[in-house]
Amino acid sequence: MNPTDARDTIVQRNRIKAPAERIFVALTNPEQRLKWWGAEGQYRGTHMESDLRPGGKWMTRGIGRGGKSFTVGGEYRKIERPHLLVFTWLPDWKRMRRRVLCASIWTRRTASRRSA
């Protein structure tokens, strides 16, 4: 794998009100993922396979705009349930020479409360 520098990195932070285990399952369990993975009028997942182990493959098929089918898949690289999921991402709609490496990290952040 090629080294990555800051120009190749995208960091996105989301706040999700759910336990880490619930988020992990929603991403890795085929039945759960198909319930939420999609955007109204843009795409919808119709089938997912997940061999949840380092080196295991995952794949999602679906229907995109205009009824065009798509496939996106990859390989699980590192799994530390429920807080870390590292995987590759290779969509069939892009002519990519290398797979994109993705890392999802869930942490529980507690807010500090101030007394008046």
Side-chain angles (χ1 to χ4, degrees):
M1 190 162 43
N2 296 331
T4 302
D5 66 29
R7 294 179 312 230
D8 295 330
T9 303
I10 297 172
V11 175
Q12 181 174 341
R13 294 181 184 177
N14 296 307
R15 177 181 232 152
I16 301 172
K17 288 187 174 187
E21 179 65 22
R22 178 69 186 100
I23 298 166
F24 187 91
V25 170
L27 282 172
T28 59
N29 177 286
E31 291 176 16
Q32 291 292 312
R33 185 155 175 178
L34 290 176
K35 287 181 181 180
W36 67 267
W37 200 65
E40 187 71 34
Q42 295 181 30
Y43 67 94
R44 170 66 50 204
T46 59
H47 177 82
M48 184 193 181
E49 297 174 13
S50 178
D51 182 8
L52 188 58
R53 63 183 173 82
K57 307 285 188 220
W58 69 273
M59 181 272 304
T60 300
R61 285 194 300 263
I63 304 296
R65 286 187 182 170
K68 186 174 180 182
S69 64
F70 68 85
T71 302
V72 61
E75 177 182 306
Y76 295 113
R77 295 286 178 89
K78 188 173 184 180
I79 301 165
E80 293 177 10
R81 189 179 191 136
H83 294 285
L84 177 69
L85 184 65
V86 178
F87 57 95
T88 59
W89 173 275
L90 186 62
D92 68 354
W93 63 87
K94 291 195 176 189
R95 304 277 184 228
M96 300 169 67
R97 292 190 190 131
R98 63 182 178 151
R99 293 175 185 257
V100 174
L101 186 63
C102 303
S104 295
I105 303 167
W106 300 277
T107 61
R108 181 181 174 108
R109 201 165 98 175
T110 56
S112 61
R113 294 184 180 217
R114 294 182 188 173
S115 299

PDB file of all heavy atoms in Angstrom, residues 14-47:
ATOM      1  N   ASN A  14     -19.106  12.734  12.578  1.00  0.00           N
ATOM      2  CA  ASN A  14     -20.560  12.721  12.701  1.00  0.00           C
ATOM      3  C   ASN A  14     -20.920  12.412  14.139  1.00  0.00           C
ATOM      4  O   ASN A  14     -20.238  11.632  14.796  1.00  0.00           O
ATOM      5  CB  ASN A  14     -21.177  11.636  11.808  1.00  0.00           C
ATOM      6  CG  ASN A  14     -20.924  11.903  10.351  1.00  0.00           C
ATOM      7  OD1 ASN A  14     -21.222  12.977   9.856  1.00  0.00           O
ATOM      8  ND2 ASN A  14     -20.357  10.930   9.657  1.00  0.00           N
ATOM      9  N   ARG A  15     -22.001  12.991  14.589  1.00  0.00           N
ATOM     10  CA  ARG A  15     -22.506  12.686  15.929  1.00  0.00           C
ATOM     11  C   ARG A  15     -23.709  11.768  15.743  1.00  0.00           C
ATOM     12  O   ARG A  15     -24.694  12.132  15.095  1.00  0.00           O
ATOM     13  CB  ARG A  15     -22.906  13.963  16.634  1.00  0.00           C
ATOM     14  CG  ARG A  15     -23.496  13.713  17.979  1.00  0.00           C
ATOM     15  CD  ARG A  15     -23.886  15.005  18.625  1.00  0.00           C
ATOM     16  NE  ARG A  15     -23.278  14.995  19.934  1.00  0.00           N
ATOM     17  CZ  ARG A  15     -22.925  16.055  20.596  1.00  0.00           C
ATOM     18  NH1 ARG A  15     -23.068  17.227  20.073  1.00  0.00           N
ATOM     19  NH2 ARG A  15     -22.415  15.938  21.787  1.00  0.00           N
ATOM     20  N   ILE A  16     -23.611  10.587  16.318  1.00  0.00           N
ATOM     21  CA  ILE A  16     -24.686   9.604  16.213  1.00  0.00           C
ATOM     22  C   ILE A  16     -25.098   9.224  17.629  1.00  0.00           C
ATOM     23  O   ILE A  16     -24.263   8.793  18.418  1.00  0.00           O
ATOM     24  CB  ILE A  16     -24.225   8.352  15.434  1.00  0.00           C
ATOM     25  CG1 ILE A  16     -23.774   8.750  14.027  1.00  0.00           C
ATOM     26  CG2 ILE A  16     -25.340   7.320  15.388  1.00  0.00           C
ATOM     27  CD1 ILE A  16     -23.135   7.633  13.244  1.00  0.00           C
ATOM     28  N   LYS A  17     -26.359   9.386  17.929  1.00  0.00           N
ATOM     29  CA  LYS A  17     -26.853   9.043  19.262  1.00  0.00           C
ATOM     30  C   LYS A  17     -27.205   7.562  19.295  1.00  0.00           C
ATOM     31  O   LYS A  17     -28.381   7.181  19.179  1.00  0.00           O
ATOM     32  CB  LYS A  17     -28.064   9.897  19.617  1.00  0.00           C
ATOM     33  CG  LYS A  17     -27.726  11.322  19.912  1.00  0.00           C
ATOM     34  CD  LYS A  17     -28.952  12.050  20.421  1.00  0.00           C
ATOM     35  CE  LYS A  17     -28.571  13.442  20.864  1.00  0.00           C
ATOM     36  NZ  LYS A  17     -29.690  14.119  21.510  1.00  0.00           N
ATOM     37  N   ALA A  18     -26.178   6.745  19.409  1.00  0.00           N
ATOM     38  CA  ALA A  18     -26.358   5.296  19.490  1.00  0.00           C
ATOM     39  C   ALA A  18     -25.090   4.705  20.082  1.00  0.00           C
ATOM     40  O   ALA A  18     -24.002   5.258  19.921  1.00  0.00           O
ATOM     41  CB  ALA A  18     -26.610   4.713  18.107  1.00  0.00           C
ATOM     42  N   PRO A  19     -25.218   3.570  20.755  1.00  0.00           N
ATOM     43  CA  PRO A  19     -24.026   2.896  21.286  1.00  0.00           C
ATOM     44  C   PRO A  19     -23.124   2.417  20.141  1.00  0.00           C
ATOM     45  O   PRO A  19     -23.604   2.110  19.044  1.00  0.00           O
ATOM     46  CB  PRO A  19     -24.594   1.702  22.059  1.00  0.00           C
ATOM     47  CG  PRO A  19     -26.048   1.965  22.221  1.00  0.00           C
ATOM     48  CD  PRO A  19     -26.455   2.897  21.123  1.00  0.00           C
ATOM     49  N   ALA A  20     -21.830   2.336  20.410  1.00  0.00           N
ATOM     50  CA  ALA A  20     -20.862   1.906  19.399  1.00  0.00           C
ATOM     51  C   ALA A  20     -21.238   0.556  18.802  1.00  0.00           C
ATOM     52  O   ALA A  20     -21.120   0.351  17.593  1.00  0.00           O
ATOM     53  CB  ALA A  20     -19.462   1.864  19.995  1.00  0.00           C
ATOM     54  N   GLU A  21     -21.676  -0.376  19.607  1.00  0.00           N
ATOM     55  CA  GLU A  21     -22.042  -1.711  19.099  1.00  0.00           C
ATOM     56  C   GLU A  21     -23.181  -1.624  18.086  1.00  0.00           C
ATOM     57  O   GLU A  21     -23.165  -2.304  17.064  1.00  0.00           O
ATOM     58  CB  GLU A  21     -22.432  -2.637  20.252  1.00  0.00           C
ATOM     59  CG  GLU A  21     -22.851  -4.028  19.811  1.00  0.00           C
ATOM     60  CD  GLU A  21     -21.759  -4.860  19.166  1.00  0.00           C
ATOM     61  OE1 GLU A  21     -20.556  -4.579  19.388  1.00  0.00           O
ATOM     62  OE2 GLU A  21     -22.087  -5.807  18.421  1.00  0.00           O
ATOM     63  N   ARG A  22     -24.150  -0.763  18.332  1.00  0.00           N
ATOM     64  CA  ARG A  22     -25.282  -0.605  17.400  1.00  0.00           C
ATOM     65  C   ARG A  22     -24.819  -0.055  16.062  1.00  0.00           C
ATOM     66  O   ARG A  22     -25.263  -0.490  15.001  1.00  0.00           O
ATOM     67  CB  ARG A  22     -26.331   0.329  18.031  1.00  0.00           C
ATOM     68  CG  ARG A  22     -27.512   0.598  17.146  1.00  0.00           C
ATOM     69  CD  ARG A  22     -28.374  -0.654  16.979  1.00  0.00           C
ATOM     70  NE  ARG A  22     -29.423  -0.426  16.029  1.00  0.00           N
ATOM     71  CZ  ARG A  22     -29.392  -0.818  14.753  1.00  0.00           C
ATOM     72  NH1 ARG A  22     -28.378  -1.500  14.275  1.00  0.00           N
ATOM     73  NH2 ARG A  22     -30.395  -0.552  13.955  1.00  0.00           N
ATOM     74  N   ILE A  23     -23.908   0.903  16.090  1.00  0.00           N
ATOM     75  CA  ILE A  23     -23.361   1.489  14.859  1.00  0.00           C
ATOM     76  C   ILE A  23     -22.557   0.438  14.102  1.00  0.00           C
ATOM     77  O   ILE A  23     -22.691   0.287  12.888  1.00  0.00           O
ATOM     78  CB  ILE A  23     -22.503   2.721  15.179  1.00  0.00           C
ATOM     79  CG1 ILE A  23     -23.352   3.794  15.848  1.00  0.00           C
ATOM     80  CG2 ILE A  23     -21.847   3.255  13.913  1.00  0.00           C
ATOM     81  CD1 ILE A  23     -22.536   4.886  16.502  1.00  0.00           C
ATOM     82  N   PHE A  24     -21.733  -0.302  14.818  1.00  0.00           N
ATOM     83  CA  PHE A  24     -20.912  -1.350  14.208  1.00  0.00           C
ATOM     84  C   PHE A  24     -21.795  -2.373  13.482  1.00  0.00           C
ATOM     85  O   PHE A  24     -21.541  -2.717  12.333  1.00  0.00           O
ATOM     86  CB  PHE A  24     -20.068  -2.034  15.288  1.00  0.00           C
ATOM     87  CG  PHE A  24     -19.074  -3.011  14.756  1.00  0.00           C
ATOM     88  CD1 PHE A  24     -17.790  -2.606  14.439  1.00  0.00           C
ATOM     89  CD2 PHE A  24     -19.410  -4.347  14.573  1.00  0.00           C
ATOM     90  CE1 PHE A  24     -16.872  -3.510  13.945  1.00  0.00           C
ATOM     91  CE2 PHE A  24     -18.502  -5.253  14.081  1.00  0.00           C
ATOM     92  CZ  PHE A  24     -17.218  -4.833  13.763  1.00  0.00           C
ATOM     93  N   VAL A  25     -22.839  -2.829  14.146  1.00  0.00           N
ATOM     94  CA  VAL A  25     -23.753  -3.808  13.548  1.00  0.00           C
ATOM     95  C   VAL A  25     -24.451  -3.222  12.326  1.00  0.00           C
ATOM     96  O   VAL A  25     -24.610  -3.896  11.302  1.00  0.00           O
ATOM     97  CB  VAL A  25     -24.770  -4.327  14.587  1.00  0.00           C
ATOM     98  CG1 VAL A  25     -25.865  -5.154  13.929  1.00  0.00           C
ATOM     99  CG2 VAL A  25     -24.063  -5.154  15.648  1.00  0.00           C
ATOM    100  N   ALA A  26     -24.862  -1.963  12.398  1.00  0.00           N
ATOM    101  CA  ALA A  26     -25.547  -1.324  11.275  1.00  0.00           C
ATOM    102  C   ALA A  26     -24.671  -1.268  10.029  1.00  0.00           C
ATOM    103  O   ALA A  26     -25.171  -1.310   8.908  1.00  0.00           O
ATOM    104  CB  ALA A  26     -25.998   0.084  11.659  1.00  0.00           C
ATOM    105  N   LEU A  27     -23.364  -1.200  10.198  1.00  0.00           N
ATOM    106  CA  LEU A  27     -22.442  -1.162   9.058  1.00  0.00           C
ATOM    107  C   LEU A  27     -22.054  -2.533   8.541  1.00  0.00           C
ATOM    108  O   LEU A  27     -21.733  -2.686   7.362  1.00  0.00           O
ATOM    109  CB  LEU A  27     -21.163  -0.415   9.439  1.00  0.00           C
ATOM    110  CG  LEU A  27     -21.254   1.094   9.456  1.00  0.00           C
ATOM    111  CD1 LEU A  27     -19.983   1.690  10.039  1.00  0.00           C
ATOM    112  CD2 LEU A  27     -21.488   1.627   8.055  1.00  0.00           C
ATOM    113  N   THR A  28     -22.035  -3.530   9.400  1.00  0.00           N
ATOM    114  CA  THR A  28     -21.461  -4.823   9.017  1.00  0.00           C
ATOM    115  C   THR A  28     -22.467  -5.950   8.828  1.00  0.00           C
ATOM    116  O   THR A  28     -22.156  -6.934   8.162  1.00  0.00           O
ATOM    117  CB  THR A  28     -20.418  -5.267  10.056  1.00  0.00           C
ATOM    118  OG1 THR A  28     -21.046  -5.371  11.337  1.00  0.00           O
ATOM    119  CG2 THR A  28     -19.262  -4.276  10.122  1.00  0.00           C
ATOM    120  N   ASN A  29     -23.656  -5.833   9.384  1.00  0.00           N
ATOM    121  CA  ASN A  29     -24.667  -6.871   9.244  1.00  0.00           C
ATOM    122  C   ASN A  29     -25.485  -6.589   7.982  1.00  0.00           C
ATOM    123  O   ASN A  29     -26.088  -5.518   7.870  1.00  0.00           O
ATOM    124  CB  ASN A  29     -25.568  -6.882  10.476  1.00  0.00           C
ATOM    125  CG  ASN A  29     -26.688  -7.886  10.360  1.00  0.00           C
ATOM    126  OD1 ASN A  29     -27.644  -7.663   9.630  1.00  0.00           O
ATOM    127  ND2 ASN A  29     -26.554  -8.983  11.086  1.00  0.00           N
ATOM    128  N   PRO A  30     -25.515  -7.532   7.027  1.00  0.00           N
ATOM    129  CA  PRO A  30     -26.221  -7.265   5.767  1.00  0.00           C
ATOM    130  C   PRO A  30     -27.675  -6.828   5.938  1.00  0.00           C
ATOM    131  O   PRO A  30     -28.106  -5.882   5.277  1.00  0.00           O
ATOM    132  CB  PRO A  30     -26.130  -8.599   5.027  1.00  0.00           C
ATOM    133  CG  PRO A  30     -24.857  -9.199   5.527  1.00  0.00           C
ATOM    134  CD  PRO A  30     -24.814  -8.830   6.994  1.00  0.00           C
ATOM    135  N   GLU A  31     -28.432  -7.482   6.800  1.00  0.00           N
ATOM    136  CA  GLU A  31     -29.837  -7.098   6.981  1.00  0.00           C
ATOM    137  C   GLU A  31     -29.967  -5.686   7.532  1.00  0.00           C
ATOM    138  O   GLU A  31     -30.805  -4.904   7.077  1.00  0.00           O
ATOM    139  CB  GLU A  31     -30.533  -8.080   7.913  1.00  0.00           C
ATOM    140  CG  GLU A  31     -30.728  -9.454   7.315  1.00  0.00           C
ATOM    141  CD  GLU A  31     -31.338 -10.432   8.303  1.00  0.00           C
ATOM    142  OE1 GLU A  31     -31.892  -9.984   9.331  1.00  0.00           O
ATOM    143  OE2 GLU A  31     -31.265 -11.641   8.034  1.00  0.00           O
ATOM    144  N   GLN A  32     -29.134  -5.348   8.506  1.00  0.00           N
ATOM    145  CA  GLN A  32     -29.181  -4.011   9.099  1.00  0.00           C
ATOM    146  C   GLN A  32     -28.760  -2.945   8.090  1.00  0.00           C
ATOM    147  O   GLN A  32     -29.393  -1.899   7.983  1.00  0.00           O
ATOM    148  CB  GLN A  32     -28.278  -3.951  10.329  1.00  0.00           C
ATOM    149  CG  GLN A  32     -28.775  -4.769  11.484  1.00  0.00           C
ATOM    150  CD  GLN A  32     -30.041  -4.183  12.063  1.00  0.00           C
ATOM    151  OE1 GLN A  32     -30.116  -2.994  12.317  1.00  0.00           O
ATOM    152  NE2 GLN A  32     -31.032  -5.025  12.267  1.00  0.00           N
ATOM    153  N   ARG A  33     -27.678  -3.197   7.361  1.00  0.00           N
ATOM    154  CA  ARG A  33     -27.168  -2.184   6.433  1.00  0.00           C
ATOM    155  C   ARG A  33     -28.166  -1.853   5.337  1.00  0.00           C
ATOM    156  O   ARG A  33     -28.334  -0.693   4.959  1.00  0.00           O
ATOM    157  CB  ARG A  33     -25.851  -2.639   5.832  1.00  0.00           C
ATOM    158  CG  ARG A  33     -25.235  -1.558   4.972  1.00  0.00           C
ATOM    159  CD  ARG A  33     -23.783  -1.744   4.890  1.00  0.00           C
ATOM    160  NE  ARG A  33     -23.185  -0.793   3.983  1.00  0.00           N
ATOM    161  CZ  ARG A  33     -21.902  -0.729   3.764  1.00  0.00           C
ATOM    162  NH1 ARG A  33     -21.096  -1.552   4.395  1.00  0.00           N
ATOM    163  NH2 ARG A  33     -21.403   0.130   2.939  1.00  0.00           N
ATOM    164  N   LEU A  34     -28.846  -2.875   4.834  1.00  0.00           N
ATOM    165  CA  LEU A  34     -29.806  -2.614   3.761  1.00  0.00           C
ATOM    166  C   LEU A  34     -31.006  -1.804   4.227  1.00  0.00           C
ATOM    167  O   LEU A  34     -31.676  -1.167   3.419  1.00  0.00           O
ATOM    168  CB  LEU A  34     -30.253  -3.936   3.127  1.00  0.00           C
ATOM    169  CG  LEU A  34     -29.175  -4.639   2.311  1.00  0.00           C
ATOM    170  CD1 LEU A  34     -29.690  -5.979   1.808  1.00  0.00           C
ATOM    171  CD2 LEU A  34     -28.670  -3.778   1.168  1.00  0.00           C
ATOM    172  N   LYS A  35     -31.264  -1.781   5.521  1.00  0.00           N
ATOM    173  CA  LYS A  35     -32.381  -0.989   6.047  1.00  0.00           C
ATOM    174  C   LYS A  35     -32.114   0.506   5.967  1.00  0.00           C
ATOM    175  O   LYS A  35     -33.033   1.306   5.866  1.00  0.00           O
ATOM    176  CB  LYS A  35     -32.674  -1.375   7.497  1.00  0.00           C
ATOM    177  CG  LYS A  35     -33.337  -2.721   7.627  1.00  0.00           C
ATOM    178  CD  LYS A  35     -33.613  -3.028   9.080  1.00  0.00           C
ATOM    179  CE  LYS A  35     -34.269  -4.387   9.220  1.00  0.00           C
ATOM    180  NZ  LYS A  35     -34.542  -4.721  10.617  1.00  0.00           N
ATOM    181  N   TRP A  36     -30.838   0.929   6.046  1.00  0.00           N
ATOM    182  CA  TRP A  36     -30.560   2.362   6.101  1.00  0.00           C
ATOM    183  C   TRP A  36     -29.686   2.867   4.966  1.00  0.00           C
ATOM    184  O   TRP A  36     -29.641   4.061   4.710  1.00  0.00           O
ATOM    185  CB  TRP A  36     -29.893   2.733   7.437  1.00  0.00           C
ATOM    186  CG  TRP A  36     -28.518   2.155   7.598  1.00  0.00           C
ATOM    187  CD1 TRP A  36     -28.186   0.983   8.202  1.00  0.00           C
ATOM    188  CD2 TRP A  36     -27.291   2.719   7.143  1.00  0.00           C
ATOM    189  NE1 TRP A  36     -26.833   0.770   8.137  1.00  0.00           N
ATOM    190  CE2 TRP A  36     -26.250   1.836   7.495  1.00  0.00           C
ATOM    191  CE3 TRP A  36     -26.958   3.893   6.462  1.00  0.00           C
ATOM    192  CZ2 TRP A  36     -24.915   2.074   7.193  1.00  0.00           C
ATOM    193  CZ3 TRP A  36     -25.614   4.130   6.169  1.00  0.00           C
ATOM    194  CH2 TRP A  36     -24.625   3.226   6.537  1.00  0.00           C
ATOM    195  N   TRP A  37     -28.968   2.017   4.254  1.00  0.00           N
ATOM    196  CA  TRP A  37     -27.975   2.472   3.296  1.00  0.00           C
ATOM    197  C   TRP A  37     -28.638   2.907   1.992  1.00  0.00           C
ATOM    198  O   TRP A  37     -29.020   2.084   1.167  1.00  0.00           O
ATOM    199  CB  TRP A  37     -26.930   1.391   3.039  1.00  0.00           C
ATOM    200  CG  TRP A  37     -25.653   1.911   2.465  1.00  0.00           C
ATOM    201  CD1 TRP A  37     -24.775   2.736   3.066  1.00  0.00           C
ATOM    202  CD2 TRP A  37     -25.130   1.636   1.171  1.00  0.00           C
ATOM    203  NE1 TRP A  37     -23.714   2.994   2.235  1.00  0.00           N
ATOM    204  CE2 TRP A  37     -23.907   2.327   1.067  1.00  0.00           C
ATOM    205  CE3 TRP A  37     -25.563   0.874   0.102  1.00  0.00           C
ATOM    206  CZ2 TRP A  37     -23.122   2.282  -0.070  1.00  0.00           C
ATOM    207  CZ3 TRP A  37     -24.773   0.824  -1.030  1.00  0.00           C
ATOM    208  CH2 TRP A  37     -23.566   1.523  -1.108  1.00  0.00           C
ATOM    209  N   GLY A  38     -28.791   4.192   1.838  1.00  0.00           N
ATOM    210  CA  GLY A  38     -29.401   4.748   0.645  1.00  0.00           C
ATOM    211  C   GLY A  38     -29.752   6.210   0.865  1.00  0.00           C
ATOM    212  O   GLY A  38     -29.670   6.722   1.973  1.00  0.00           O
ATOM    213  N   ALA A  39     -30.115   6.875  -0.196  1.00  0.00           N
ATOM    214  CA  ALA A  39     -30.550   8.275  -0.146  1.00  0.00           C
ATOM    215  C   ALA A  39     -31.730   8.407  -1.101  1.00  0.00           C
ATOM    216  O   ALA A  39     -31.622   8.065  -2.288  1.00  0.00           O
ATOM    217  CB  ALA A  39     -29.414   9.211  -0.555  1.00  0.00           C
ATOM    218  N   GLU A  40     -32.846   8.867  -0.576  1.00  0.00           N
ATOM    219  CA  GLU A  40     -34.085   8.983  -1.343  1.00  0.00           C
ATOM    220  C   GLU A  40     -33.848   9.616  -2.709  1.00  0.00           C
ATOM    221  O   GLU A  40     -33.282  10.705  -2.811  1.00  0.00           O
ATOM    222  CB  GLU A  40     -35.091   9.829  -0.544  1.00  0.00           C
ATOM    223  CG  GLU A  40     -36.464   9.886  -1.163  1.00  0.00           C
ATOM    224  CD  GLU A  40     -37.213   8.575  -1.052  1.00  0.00           C
ATOM    225  OE1 GLU A  40     -37.042   7.860  -0.044  1.00  0.00           O
ATOM    226  OE2 GLU A  40     -37.977   8.269  -1.975  1.00  0.00           O
ATOM    227  N   GLY A  41     -34.248   8.911  -3.764  1.00  0.00           N
ATOM    228  CA  GLY A  41     -34.125   9.423  -5.122  1.00  0.00           C
ATOM    229  C   GLY A  41     -32.733   9.309  -5.726  1.00  0.00           C
ATOM    230  O   GLY A  41     -32.530   9.687  -6.874  1.00  0.00           O
ATOM    231  N   GLN A  42     -31.751   8.809  -4.964  1.00  0.00           N
ATOM    232  CA  GLN A  42     -30.391   8.719  -5.483  1.00  0.00           C
ATOM    233  C   GLN A  42     -29.890   7.285  -5.607  1.00  0.00           C
ATOM    234  O   GLN A  42     -29.402   6.890  -6.656  1.00  0.00           O
ATOM    235  CB  GLN A  42     -29.441   9.518  -4.606  1.00  0.00           C
ATOM    236  CG  GLN A  42     -29.731  11.001  -4.635  1.00  0.00           C
ATOM    237  CD  GLN A  42     -28.762  11.762  -3.766  1.00  0.00           C
ATOM    238  OE1 GLN A  42     -27.621  11.377  -3.578  1.00  0.00           O
ATOM    239  NE2 GLN A  42     -29.231  12.860  -3.213  1.00  0.00           N
ATOM    240  N   TYR A  43     -29.967   6.515  -4.527  1.00  0.00           N
ATOM    241  CA  TYR A  43     -29.526   5.125  -4.575  1.00  0.00           C
ATOM    242  C   TYR A  43     -30.125   4.351  -3.414  1.00  0.00           C
ATOM    243  O   TYR A  43     -30.527   4.913  -2.413  1.00  0.00           O
ATOM    244  CB  TYR A  43     -28.001   5.016  -4.548  1.00  0.00           C
ATOM    245  CG  TYR A  43     -27.382   5.458  -3.243  1.00  0.00           C
ATOM    246  CD1 TYR A  43     -27.097   4.534  -2.244  1.00  0.00           C
ATOM    247  CD2 TYR A  43     -27.094   6.793  -3.003  1.00  0.00           C
ATOM    248  CE1 TYR A  43     -26.543   4.934  -1.038  1.00  0.00           C
ATOM    249  CE2 TYR A  43     -26.539   7.201  -1.803  1.00  0.00           C
ATOM    250  CZ  TYR A  43     -26.262   6.270  -0.831  1.00  0.00           C
ATOM    251  OH  TYR A  43     -25.724   6.654   0.368  1.00  0.00           O
ATOM    252  N   ARG A  44     -30.154   3.046  -3.569  1.00  0.00           N
ATOM    253  CA  ARG A  44     -30.648   2.160  -2.528  1.00  0.00           C
ATOM    254  C   ARG A  44     -29.929   0.825  -2.655  1.00  0.00           C
ATOM    255  O   ARG A  44     -29.844   0.264  -3.736  1.00  0.00           O
ATOM    256  CB  ARG A  44     -32.148   1.958  -2.695  1.00  0.00           C
ATOM    257  CG  ARG A  44     -32.781   0.895  -1.848  1.00  0.00           C
ATOM    258  CD  ARG A  44     -32.792   1.118  -0.362  1.00  0.00           C
ATOM    259  NE  ARG A  44     -33.290   2.402   0.054  1.00  0.00           N
ATOM    260  CZ  ARG A  44     -32.972   2.966   1.215  1.00  0.00           C
ATOM    261  NH1 ARG A  44     -32.168   2.382   2.055  1.00  0.00           N
ATOM    262  NH2 ARG A  44     -33.445   4.130   1.553  1.00  0.00           N
ATOM    263  N   GLY A  45     -29.372   0.349  -1.542  1.00  0.00           N
ATOM    264  CA  GLY A  45     -28.748  -0.968  -1.519  1.00  0.00           C
ATOM    265  C   GLY A  45     -29.812  -2.044  -1.597  1.00  0.00           C
ATOM    266  O   GLY A  45     -30.874  -1.930  -0.981  1.00  0.00           O
ATOM    267  N   THR A  46     -29.553  -3.100  -2.371  1.00  0.00           N
ATOM    268  CA  THR A  46     -30.523  -4.180  -2.521  1.00  0.00           C
ATOM    269  C   THR A  46     -29.971  -5.526  -2.048  1.00  0.00           C
ATOM    270  O   THR A  46     -30.733  -6.450  -1.809  1.00  0.00           O
ATOM    271  CB  THR A  46     -30.962  -4.314  -3.988  1.00  0.00           C
ATOM    272  OG1 THR A  46     -29.806  -4.567  -4.801  1.00  0.00           O
ATOM    273  CG2 THR A  46     -31.688  -3.063  -4.461  1.00  0.00           C
ATOM    274  N   HIS A  47     -28.644  -5.646  -1.937  1.00  0.00           N
ATOM    275  CA  HIS A  47     -28.024  -6.907  -1.529  1.00  0.00           C
ATOM    276  C   HIS A  47     -26.670  -6.600  -0.891  1.00  0.00           C
ATOM    277  O   HIS A  47     -25.931  -5.763  -1.399  1.00  0.00           O
ATOM    278  CB  HIS A  47     -27.822  -7.817  -2.752  1.00  0.00           C
ATOM    279  CG  HIS A  47     -27.125  -9.093  -2.429  1.00  0.00           C
ATOM    280  ND1 HIS A  47     -27.785 -10.179  -1.907  1.00  0.00           N
ATOM    281  CD2 HIS A  47     -25.829  -9.452  -2.522  1.00  0.00           C
ATOM    282  CE1 HIS A  47     -26.921 -11.161  -1.707  1.00  0.00           C
ATOM    283  NE2 HIS A  47     -25.721 -10.741  -2.078  1.00  0.00           N
TER     284      HIS A  47
END
